Amino acid sequence: MKVIRLRRGFSTNCSGTNEFFPGGWSLPPPSLNPDQQQDAGPRIVFRWVLPQVTSRWSGPDAGAVSAPASQPDAGATTAPTSTTTTNGLVIAAVVFGVAVLVGVERLVRALRRRRKGESHDEPAEG
Amino acid sequence: MTSPPRAEHPAELPLVLRREPFGGLLFEPSTATCVEVDGEAYSTLRRCVDDGWQSVTDAERALMDRLRASIPSLGREVVSFHLPSERASRIPRYAHVRVLDAPTVVDLQITRRCRSGCPHCYMSSSPEGDDMPYDRVREVLHAAGDLGVCQLAIGGGEPLLHPDFVRILYDARSFGVLPNLTTTGDGMTPESLRAMAECCGAVALSLEGLRDDFDRRRRTGFALFEWTHRALRDAGVATVLQVTLSVENLPALPAIVDYCVSCDGLYGVLFLAYKSMGRGAGYQTPLSRVPAAELFPLLRDAFLRISERCRVGYDCCLAPGVVGMDAAFGIDDPEMVEGCTAMRTSVGITTDLDVVPCTFLSDHPLGTLREQSLWDVWHGERAAAFRERLDGQVEQRAECRACPSRDSCLGGCPRWDLVRCRARL
């Protein structure tokens, strides 16, 4: 009547094959006690931002990456800035810039047309 | 300040007691402790459960004391056991591999959908990937619970993107199976975080590089990784960092170890070996190109540093790379390293309901749950043929034949040449 062997550890790896956390080899995790975590300092306050747009993806899920962000009163926590966010800002800036240029060009053309028209409408003297 | 969601664990999962060819096993889910006992001890345990722990002899009491040292909950007055239905085992004895009557770990791929776009993804997951329908997932969970499967390793794709992710976690527990998972954090909601805190044994985040290097690998980015890690920790979820090693990121290992050591509240760090498959085929170089004399000191140093803060684990595919650590650290258990567990203690199930030895062998189905039960596939001819090849592996390789660790290491992954052992310097 005997114990053959003992294994301990949660299987998380995506291969599904064995992983082991040999209890004899390592120390217990330091901060898994919920009571200790109550006093662990600033915490993340939950606010969820949906969606963040990226132009690099196509298909039904395009632009649906949901990155969580912290609220202003969340202490030292900072919102993650993914590459998709950066791309979105760059694209928005480019679109805005092009829109401004087009708008300015149209305004100049309109002013020119108006000036031309006004000169045609001038009554002939004489 | 608003309080973060707190983990309020529902009713505890029952212990699992299973008969096995060598005797039996007892699994305690809150610490994922699995104790294998011989036939006599199993009979004693079984009788104690059936008789309500009455009239135990001194010898039986000694066994209980021994078990209680590893499983304190065994001493509770009421312990709920799940007893799988008695079935006739058809598992033969092998020369080198030990095979259980049923898997203890099922790797369940619930979706192929993922938005991270990792160039090294071995599953070739994409934003258009399909989900396993919820009803099918529930059937798999039912089958797993019926066999006394102890743990699920939920993967994908990104599991959080499955529309029924939260239900799946609670269903797993309702069938008596402990769910764990690997995620990027993409798509996490307060509800899914709460479900992970209440249901999961542990949740893993992958980490193959830091900051810019991480950002080059994942569209979701390092900032989301760190945020997810903090959110899991603050919700009381046991969090594991999974580090997949290749030739290319091996020089960064010391920095990755520094980072792991700096993380508060980590449950463990798990090392895996890069496999050149799926979209990741050819993206990097397997560790087998690195001489063991170079790799071993790096793994040893990583272990020594990280183990001061949390647990350290090695996927069984890395077994040849860590064989010998027990001697180096003065550990007296020669079975501390465990080789390939595919079709011995674990099995994979894809979104198509194909049963595969592991998800790295997804092109090698041994059966399908569309037409067969999990029990029938596990005890089927194709599964037996896979085990015979694995069993014969250590006989075919000259360096394995003379190795004292061959029956625990099993010669490494039967499919991929992933890592060298000390005998193959």
Side-chain angles (χ1 to χ4, degrees), chain B residues 225-352:
Chain B
F225 163 85
E226 288 204 299
W227 189 94
T228 304
H229 179 210
R230 286 196 298 271
L232 291 169
R233 180 197 64 194
D234 291 348
V237 179
T239 306
V240 174
L241 300 185
Q242 288 184 167
V243 182
T244 300
L245 295 172
S246 65
V247 169
E248 284 75 8
N249 74 345
L250 199 58
L253 180 57
I256 293 173
V257 170
D258 286 343
Y259 179 82
C260 293
V261 169
S262 73
C263 290
D264 288 329
L266 209 55
Y267 175 80
V269 177
L270 172 68
F271 292 101
L272 300 98
Y274 160 77
K275 289 100 177 165
S276 180
M277 63 177 292
R279 188 166 64 232
Y283 177 70
Q284 293 198 317
T285 313
L287 285 179
S288 53
R289 298 287 182 85
V290 181
E294 291 179 23
L295 178 64
F296 186 83
L298 287 169
L299 292 178
R300 182 190 57 204
D301 292 347
F303 171 81
L304 289 175
R305 294 197 58 210
I306 296 173
S307 63
E308 292 179 356
R309 298 298 304 270
C310 63
R311 293 167 172 82
V312 185
Y314 303 91
D315 183 73
C316 65
C317 60
L318 263 178
V322 296
V323 163
M325 271 196 177
D326 47 356
F329 301 146
I331 307 295
D332 58 1
D333 183 356
E335 287 199 341
M336 194 58 90
V337 173
E338 181 155 25
C340 178
T341 63
M343 299 312 289
R344 298 197 304 116
T345 64
S346 67
V347 71
I349 298 174
T350 70
T351 56
D352 300 327

Side-chain angles (χ1 to χ4, degrees), chain A residues 7-97:
Chain A
R7 284 281 186 275
R8 179 173 289 151
F10 299 108
S11 259
T12 57
N13 69 308
C14 45
S15 74
T17 51
N18 178 68
E19 67 203 43
F20 60 96
F21 297 94
W25 284 18
S26 56
L27 300 173
S31 310
L32 290 182
N33 185 341
D35 296 334
Q36 293 174 349
Q37 293 192 357
Q38 291 282 5
D39 303 320
R43 292 183 178 280
I44 295 165
V45 177
F46 289 81
R47 184 165 64 88
W48 306 89
V49 179
L50 290 169
Q52 294 182 340
V53 177
T54 171
S55 66
R56 285 201 294 175
W57 296 355
S58 58
D61 291 309
V65 170
S66 56
S70 60
Q71 286 183 340
D73 61 347
T77 57
T78 54
T81 307
S82 68
T83 52
T84 52
T85 311
T86 308
N87 290 339
L89 289 173
V90 170
I91 291 164
V94 170
V95 170
F96 180 75

Side-chain angles (χ1 to χ4, degrees), chain B residues 26 32 36 48 57 67 70 96 122-123 173 182 209 231 243 268 288 299 324 332 361 366 390 397 421-422:
Chain B
L26 181 66
E36 295 175 1
C48 287
T57 65
L67 290 175
S70 304
H96 304 287
Y122 71 96
M123 294 303 299
R173 286 186 76 93
T182 302
V243 182
S288 53
L299 292 178
D332 58 1
L361 296 168
L366 304 177
L390 184 61
R397 297 177 182 172
C421 74
R422 303 184 88 184

